[in-house]
Amino acid sequence: GENVEQHPSTLSVQEGDSAVIKCTYSDSASNYFPWYKQELGKGPQLIIDIRSNVGEKKDQRIAVTLNKTAKHFSLHITETQPEDSAVYFCAVHPQGAQKLVFGQGTRLTINP
Amino acid sequence: DTEVTQTPKHLVMGMTNKKSLKCEQHMGHRAMYWYKQKAKKPPELMFVYSYEKLSINESVPSRFSPECPNSSLLNLHLHALQPEDSALYLCASSQLPTTAGNTIYFGEGSWLTVV
């Protein structure tokens, strides 16, 4: 089955700097890659997603890049703000499956 | 509006109690999900309903009983739970079952404590 590895498990950056979180996956047929942000005491919130026919997608300060050949995708947050502090999960949707496979999560802390 | 509403937000129950978690969405989504999340871990899939029919049960113990009364509602009936079942229970929905890579939207979750 699909295996997703997410790194780093914790990340601390200064406010205004950039943060990058990386995920690798094993099934080359996987075709959908969402990122979720989970704040303390809340449910996961979709922040950006990318499909296998696209290499990069941006939404204001957030971007995701996908390298299908290497089977990895990354979340980039620029000009970080304190409200970006949260746990971020990558996920992969294997083709033909009815479920997402999640990475283990990254706890991002933005230091003022 | 991408909103999945869960009630209650917090629930404390004894091991002999029977309780239910409720979930509602009005986005016209035809797939609904129950996930369980323990502290510092990613969500784990429990059940998937597609077009109001149970399509996936991830070998969940029978003390958890899902129900989908209609396309907007999803319940999780709880009976004879164990303390290790204490967790955040997340409901989610997607337009269609995720074989097509449809976006899954989560609710805020119900915090369950079993005493």
Side-chain angles (χ1 to χ4, degrees):
Chain A
E2 177 65 274
N3 183 45
V4 180
E5 293 191 5
Q6 183 172 345
H7 299 282
S9 57
T10 60
L11 179 61
S12 183
V13 302
Q14 288 299 121
E15 182 177 354
D17 289 349
S18 295
V20 180
I21 303 170
K22 299 181 179 181
C23 287
T24 61
Y25 59 99
S26 58
D27 184 354
S28 58
S30 294
N31 57 14
Y32 175 60
F33 309 89
W35 284 92
Y36 288 88
K37 173 185 181 183
Q38 188 170 23
E39 297 178 37
L40 193 62
K42 296 190 174 183
Q45 176 189 13
L46 179 75
I47 56 171
I48 197 165
D49 56 10
I50 193 167
R51 299 184 188 276
S52 58
N53 58 346
V54 175
E56 182 175 3
K57 184 176 178 181
K58 280 187 177 180
D59 183 2
Q60 299 183 13
R61 298 186 296 107
I62 295 173
V64 56
T65 58
L66 172 65
N67 184 325
K68 287 175 56 181
T69 303
K71 290 185 283 187
H72 69 69
F73 59 112
S74 300
L75 177 70
H76 304 254
I77 305 174
T78 59
E79 301 173 16
T80 53
Q81 300 168 4
E83 54 264 37
D84 295 328
S85 294
V87 177
Y88 291 81
F89 291 100
C90 66
V92 174
H93 179 229
Q95 189 175 20
Q98 282 193 53
K99 59 188 285 185
L100 291 176
V101 180
F102 284 88
Q104 290 301 302
T106 296
R107 180 171 297 279
L108 175 63
T109 302
I110 308 301
N111 301 308
Chain B
D1 184 20
T2 54
E3 187 168 307
V4 177
T5 304
Q6 291 187 242
T7 55
K9 292 196 185 311
H10 299 273
L11 177 63
V12 180
M13 61 184 291
M15 289 187 283
T16 58
N17 291 160
K18 285 185 180 181
K19 297 287 185 182
S20 297
L21 305 180
K22 297 185 182 299
C23 175
E24 190 170 6
Q25 58 87 12
H26 293 290
M27 297 177 280
H29 289 178
R30 302 309 300 274
M32 296 187 76
Y33 311 80
W34 280 113
Y35 282 81
K36 173 183 178 180
Q37 188 177 26
K38 300 285 272 187
K40 299 184 180 180
K41 294 290 186 182
E44 295 177 23
L45 183 66
M46 300 175 71
F47 303 103
V48 179
Y49 272 83
S50 300
Y51 299 98
E52 296 94 66
K53 293 191 187 329
L54 183 65
S55 60
I56 293 180
N57 176 342
E58 292 283 280
S59 302
V60 179
S62 60
R63 58 185 183 269
F64 295 92
S65 176
E67 177 195 21
C68 190
N70 59 53
S71 60
S72 300
L73 294 175
L74 186 65
N75 299 321
L76 186 63
H77 302 298
L78 314 170
H79 174 53
L81 295 192
Q82 302 298 311
E84 57 264 30
D85 295 322
S86 299
L88 178 66
Y89 287 84
L90 295 161
C91 176
S93 70
S94 64
Q95 188 171 19
L96 293 170
T98 56
T99 52
N102 283 272
T103 302
I104 294 180
Y105 299 97
F106 285 88
E108 295 288 30
S110 293
W111 289 93
L112 174 67
T113 302
V114 182
V115 297

